[in-house]
């Protein structure tokens, strides 16, 4: 399937309306199932229209932003699509961050409302106070009991709303939603996506490459706030009338296995770290205990050996690919039946790939180059960040920040990042942010953080630490120190104490020398 084989959206296009229209005849079919029960396609459509009315009744206007901080549950797609139906822009954010992070996002996106899970309410209330935005209307999902002034229970608000019968008359290029993407500074960037972008990823990748069908049940370990998870568990399945299993908690091996066996998903979306943990688990189900027909991996390069072991056990391929928040989903991928473990496959039809050198010229096969991608799902910009937008979105091309090699057979192999950013379990981590936090400890003189491969060939953060004279601290204490000050996933998995960091004549840390050290 190529870009031209898929009809482009018309001049009036609202993505939420598009999904509701596609499933009008499936009213009784389960769209989503979470830990509390199922939500049918008919109930989803009603909930979306009630959500749209609720936000408008709260005084939130078209094109204004609403922060969406929610664990995966049936309320999530109702909130997200309800905002889009009203022409309001949902800003879906990571549930693993700190109040300080959310305060920054509230100010940066100039949110005019908050939709939040009860378990995260106190954190976002603290963030709103810090941002000076404590009077924003707040809708609390899955809560009970009394709420502070200005907050209402989402279920009650939806029940009392009159469904909005007509969606906002948006166009394909209107801002549809935001996702936050980290950069080399560690400051999150507000990535602005259009109403048409999820249409293109669903058509070109969900249907065109993965071949998702109406009779599939999809289950994604990657959460809905990730670009990857948003496609896996919302836009792809709803585009074909499939069903989705949602899990609010952490995707531990045992939690994933429970869903595999009980809910019988046919397509599972994960990341290499998760696959490694599952294959190492004593609770790994037998092949005949699950209904999987396909698995997908993204977020970081899938080691060849992991893919081969998974396929040997389950008889199912893991389709590995690379995507980005900026392109919304995967644009370079293996194919079912044409799978090359150890590579990221070939360009998704509808997308063009170029590998360029530092001068901007294309490189020959076998040579490392910076990956640029061109396709219809590229974000509009980073909000309020002209410099970064110009650097990343270069005309029709998007600079990925990844280095790749094109092999003679047309497949592409990952060769690292173009900056010092690390991708740990599919989430970017700034080494500078971790270093700065380590150095706040009284015992630490200097620190440098690099990527370190674990026994499964997956990248984890490793800190090299120089202690002050006569100071002492344990690895566990330093790990706990970082966890208490940053989002927990950013802490260094490995710490090595050394006498001095390698540096250039001008005093810059030579991280490449640390990467070359024998472990």
């Amino acid at each position: 399937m190529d870009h031209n084989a898929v009809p482009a959206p018309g001049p009036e296009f609202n993505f939420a309306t598009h999904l509701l229209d596609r499933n009008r005849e499936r009213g009784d079919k389960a769209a989503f199932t979470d830990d509390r029960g199922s939500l049918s396609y008919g109930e989803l459509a009603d909930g979306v229209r009630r959500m749209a009315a609720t936000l408008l009744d709260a005084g939130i206007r078209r094109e204004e932003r609403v922060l969406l901080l929610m664990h995966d549950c049936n309320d999530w797609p109702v909130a997200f699509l309800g905002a889009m139906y009203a022409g309001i822009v949902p800003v879906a954010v990571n549930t693993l961050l700190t109040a300080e992070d959310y305060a920054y996002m509230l100010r940066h996106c100039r949110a005019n409302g908050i939709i939040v899970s009860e378990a995260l309410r106190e954190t976002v209330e603290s963030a709103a106070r810090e941002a000076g935005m404590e009077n924003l209307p707040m809708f609390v999902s899955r809560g009970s009991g009394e709420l502070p002034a200005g907050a209402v229970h989402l279920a009650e608000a939806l029940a009392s709303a009159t469904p909005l019968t007509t969606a906002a008359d948006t166009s394909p290029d209107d801002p549809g939603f935001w996702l936050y993407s980290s950069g080399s500074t560690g400051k999150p960037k507000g990535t602005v996506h259009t109403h048409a972008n999820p249409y293109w990823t669903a058509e070109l990748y969900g249907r065109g490459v993965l071949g998702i069908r109406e009779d599939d049940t999809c289950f994604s370990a990657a959460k809905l706030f990730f670009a990857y998870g948003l496609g896996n568990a919302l836009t792809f399945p709803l585009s074909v009338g499939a069903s989705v299993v949602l899990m609010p908690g952490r995707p531990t091996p045992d939690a994933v296995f429970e869903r595999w066996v009980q809910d019988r998903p046919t397509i599972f979306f994960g990341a290499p770290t998760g696959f490694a943990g599952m294959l190492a688990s004593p609770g790994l189900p037998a092949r005949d205990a699950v209904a999987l027909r396909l698995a997908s991996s993204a977020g970081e390069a899938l080691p060849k050996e992991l893919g081969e072991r998974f396929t040997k056990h389950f008889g199912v391929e893991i389709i590995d690919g690379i995507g980005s928040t900026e392109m919304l989903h995967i644009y370079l991928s293996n194919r079912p039946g044409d799978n090359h473990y150890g590579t990221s496959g070939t360009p998704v039809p509808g997308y063009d790939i170029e590998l360029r050198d530092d001068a901007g010229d294309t490189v020959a096969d076998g040579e490392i180059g910076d990956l640029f991608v061109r396709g219809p799902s590229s974000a509009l910009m980073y909000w309020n960040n002209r410099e970064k937008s110009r650097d990343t979105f270069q005309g029709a091309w998007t600079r990925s920040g990844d280095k790749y090699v094109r092999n003679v057979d047309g497949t592409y192999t990952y060769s690292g990042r173009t900056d010092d950013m690390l991708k740990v379990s599919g989430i970017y981590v700034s080494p500078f942010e971790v270093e700065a936090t380590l150095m706040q400890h009284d015992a630490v003189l200097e620190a440098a953080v690099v990527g370190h491969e674990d026994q499964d060939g997956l990248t984890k953060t490793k800190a090299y630490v120089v202690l002050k004279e006569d100071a002492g601290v344990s690895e566990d204490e330093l790990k706990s120190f970082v966890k208490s000050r940053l989002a927990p996933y950013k802490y260094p998995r490995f710490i090595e104490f050394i006498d001095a960091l390698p540096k250039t004549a001008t005093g810059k840390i030579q991280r490449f020398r640390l990467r070359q050290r024998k472990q």
Side-chain angles (χ1 to χ4, degrees), residues 309-377:
R309 283 171 54 203
F310 188 91
T311 298
K312 182 178 180 181
H313 182 85
F314 287 109
V316 169
E317 294 178 300
I318 301 179
I319 305 305
D320 186 32
I322 181 178
S324 67
T325 303
E326 291 76 10
M327 295 302 293
L328 189 56
H329 214 276
I330 292 170
Y331 50 79
L332 182 62
S333 180
N334 284 279
R335 308 285 193 282
D338 184 23
N339 201 14
H340 302 264
Y341 283 134
T343 80
S344 297
T346 56
V348 170
Y351 294 85
D352 299 310
I353 301 293
E354 283 189 1
L355 302 184
R356 303 178 185 174
D357 61 20
D358 290 344
D361 298 321
T362 55
V363 301
D365 286 359
E367 294 183 7
I368 296 175
D370 293 323
L371 189 151
F372 284 73
V373 55
R374 177 173 61 188
S377 62

Side-chain angles (χ1 to χ4, degrees), residues 226-354:
F226 287 116
Y228 179 49
L230 182 64
N232 305 341
L234 198 157
T235 65
F236 293 1
L238 265 56
S239 290
V240 298
S243 296
V244 181
V245 175
L246 294 177
M247 181 176 71
R250 289 180 56 242
T252 62
D254 286 346
V256 169
F257 298 156
E258 183 179 341
R259 268 68 178 187
W260 282 2
V261 173
Q262 291 185 5
D263 296 306
R264 310 287 289 172
T266 55
I267 304 180
F268 174 71
F269 300 85
T273 298
F275 285 115
M278 288 185 285
L279 288 169
S281 171
L284 187 70
R287 180 186 296 201
D288 60 6
V290 303
L292 296 177
R293 71 172 185 86
L294 192 66
S296 164
S297 181
E300 54 191 325
L302 178 75
K304 184 173 186 286
E305 185 255 352
L306 277 183
E308 290 173 344
R309 283 171 54 203
F310 188 91
T311 298
K312 182 178 180 181
H313 182 85
F314 287 109
V316 169
E317 294 178 300
I318 301 179
I319 305 305
D320 186 32
I322 181 178
S324 67
T325 303
E326 291 76 10
M327 295 302 293
L328 189 56
H329 214 276
I330 292 170
Y331 50 79
L332 182 62
S333 180
N334 284 279
R335 308 285 193 282
D338 184 23
N339 201 14
H340 302 264
Y341 283 134
T343 80
S344 297
T346 56
V348 170
Y351 294 85
D352 299 310
I353 301 293
E354 283 189 1

Side-chain angles (χ1 to χ4, degrees), residues 92-156:
V93 298
N94 191 329
T95 59
L96 305 173
L97 302 179
T98 65
E100 184 181 359
D101 294 321
Y102 299 132
Y104 170 82
M105 292 172 176
L106 284 167
R107 286 191 299 262
H108 182 255
C109 78
R110 301 171 194 151
N112 282 277
I114 297 170
I115 311 172
V116 62
S117 293
E118 170 60 33
L120 298 164
R121 176 172 60 86
E122 289 186 4
T123 302
V124 85
E125 285 173 358
S126 174
R129 285 193 297 272
E130 185 178 331
M133 302 169 76
E134 56 265 63
N135 294 323
L136 292 180
M138 181 184 296
F139 304 93
V140 182
S141 167
R142 302 293 173 92
S144 60
E146 288 191 24
L147 294 174
V152 297
H153 290 295
L154 181 60
E156 295 175 4

Side-chain angles (χ1 to χ4, degrees), residues 14 16-17 48-57 60-64 79-90 164 166-170 195:
N14 182 292
T17 303
V48 165
R49 294 187 175 101
R50 289 175 181 272
M51 186 79 238
T54 296
L55 294 173
L56 292 171
D57 289 346
I60 303 169
R61 296 171 296 181
R62 179 170 169 170
E63 296 187 11
E64 291 182 339
F80 184 82
L81 295 174
M84 292 185 74
Y85 190 86
I88 292 165
V89 180
L164 187 69
T166 304
D169 57 345
T170 51
H195 274 264

Side-chain angles (χ1 to χ4, degrees), residues 56 68 76 109 119 133 175 179 248 395 397 457 462:
L56 292 171
L68 196 161
W76 206 107
C109 78
M133 302 169 76
L179 301 171
W397 293 90
K462 178 168 183 175

